[in-house]
Amino acid sequence: MEVQVLQPHGFCGGVRRAIALARAALREEGTLFVLGPLVHNREAREALRKEGALFLDLEEKDFQEAVLSLPEGARLLFGAHGHDPSLEDLARKRGARILDATCPFVRKNAERIRLALKEGRKVCYLGEEGHAECRAVLSEFPRIPLYGRDMVPEGGPLLLVSQTTMGLGEVEEAARSLSRSHSPVEVLHPCKATEERQRALLKIQEDVEALLVLGGAESRNTMALKKRAESLFPALPIFLAEGKEALLSLPLGGYRKIALTSGASYPEEPFLEAERYLRSL
Ligand code: SF4
């Protein structure tokens, strides 16, 4: 089978940085507590676990309780998509040493919101309720409405801030809808990595017969990538697989050419393995 590899794909700078930070800390001391999943990929987490990482409260149910259960003096790593600042205070009170992998794109969004609110501007947030980044933003700025859930006070200019991992179509749709009741609507789009991976879909060649997106359903930007592909190419068969087993179970044998991409939390090694497998079909 012929394979068109889409570029860019896979790990973004923020995920790379978070993993590098975790590895450096593990080399230094051997044990590291990590709040949340750090990277939305099972294999990458498993590798870190083997090196000594202890993931707290993977289901993100009760971070406070997880922080309160830390042993005195523990090192705690916060992930790339931000966190509730009160958790950091709580961890410090427990005597924990903080490492923070918050991605610069996530930080920039928070700074823009802070500034806009200081200037008295109206802000609306577009995000997935329950996602770490959305939770972090809404806990730091509890008064801003979440698009689709809260009422957005009508009239005047508005700053629409998108979670960094949203689909471009979702953002366009929200901006279009809000511009009926607000003017002008300034939009802070998803991060560059999310945008570039979604834009790369436009490079899919005409003779491609199917698309394979590597990544897990737990990864927001992977699902946004797949959804974007579905809306751009409604007639193209699109497959999603995270691990080797899932890949082997896909009915891909009948295609002559396939396009291959992966979400921002998918490591390069299994990507190359998948590419080799596809070429062998
Ligand atoms: S997806 Fe974007 S915001 Fe999230 S870690 Fe990667 S670069 Fe940063």
Side-chain angles (χ1 to χ4, degrees):
M1 182 190 293
E2 211 182 314
V3 181
Q4 183 196 357
V5 173
L6 299 185
Q7 301 287 4
H9 63 259
F11 273 3
C12 60
V15 168
R16 249 185 249 283
R17 190 171 156 269
I19 293 177
L21 202 63
R23 289 235 152 92
L26 286 164
R27 271 198 306 273
E28 235 172 61
E29 261 182 53
T31 306
L32 175 72
F33 290 88
V34 182
L35 196 74
L38 192 69
V39 47
H40 288 112
N41 178 266
R42 260 182 282 133
E43 289 166 32
R45 271 199 307 272
E46 210 38 57
L48 288 171
R49 203 173 269 128
K50 280 187 191 141
E51 291 172 43
L54 296 160
F55 292 91
L56 290 173
D57 193 17
L58 212 52
E59 283 85 36
E60 305 191 358
K61 275 187 195 131
D62 194 342
F63 281 174
Q64 271 203 357
E65 209 171 286
V67 170
L68 287 172
S69 69
L70 285 173
E72 185 75 32
R75 289 178 314 160
L76 177 64
L77 174 63
F78 287 104
H81 283 117
H83 55 274
D84 179 346
S86 70
L87 290 174
E88 206 171 312
D89 298 339
L90 201 63
R92 283 192 209 285
K93 276 191 200 130
R94 288 280 313 157
R97 289 167 291 159
I98 308 284
L99 294 164
D100 188 357
T102 304
C103 176
F105 288 113
V106 175
R107 243 182 240 288
K108 196 179 107 205
N109 275 3
E111 274 160 26
R112 290 289 302 272
I113 296 174
R114 213 170 288 128
L115 185 67
L117 293 176
K118 208 169 145 197
E119 290 169 353
R121 295 172 67 193
K122 259 186 228 164
V123 179
C124 173
Y125 191 71
L126 173 67
E128 189 189 21
E129 211 175 355
H131 185 280
E133 188 177 331
C134 184
R135 283 166 49 131
V137 169
L138 296 183
S139 57
E140 187 171 357
F141 310 103
R143 298 231 297 272
I144 63 174
L146 177 65
Y147 180 80
R149 184 194 72 177
D150 303 325
M151 241 250 313
V152 186
E154 282 195 10
L158 180 76
L159 175 67
L160 173 66
V161 181
S162 160
Q163 188 176 303
T164 56
T165 49
M166 296 303 277
L168 299 182
E170 295 168 282
V171 183
E172 281 158 20
E173 204 182 300
R176 227 183 353 262
S177 159
L178 287 166
S179 62
R180 287 188 210 114
S181 47
H182 299 81
S183 175
V185 175
E186 187 193 345
V187 184
L188 285 192
H189 289 97
C191 75
K192 195 165 163 248
T194 298
E195 199 165 331
E196 283 175 348
R197 280 151 190 73
Q198 290 181 31
R199 290 211 188 284
L201 295 168
L202 298 170
K203 299 181 209 155
I204 290 181
Q205 290 156 358
E206 273 193 11
D207 55 347
V208 158
E209 296 172 347
L211 167 70
L212 173 59
V213 180
L214 295 172
E218 62 170 320
S219 158
R220 185 61 178 78
N221 79 70
T222 304
M223 296 317 285
L225 186 60
K226 181 171 174 275
K227 202 168 161 194
R228 184 68 172 165
E230 284 162 354
S231 77
L232 289 171
F233 309 105
L236 191 73
I238 298 172
F239 300 95
L240 178 78
E242 184 171 14
K244 199 172 176 179
E245 228 173 274
L247 175 63
L248 296 182
S249 70
L250 294 176
L252 301 173
Y255 299 108
R256 279 166 301 175
K257 185 167 179 176
I258 194 163
L260 180 63
T261 185
S262 58
S265 43
Y266 203 78
E268 189 63 3
E269 208 176 299
F271 184 96
L272 293 174
E273 261 175 48
E275 184 189 346
R276 276 194 294 276
Y277 165 70
L278 294 172
R279 290 194 191 281
S280 75
L281 292 177

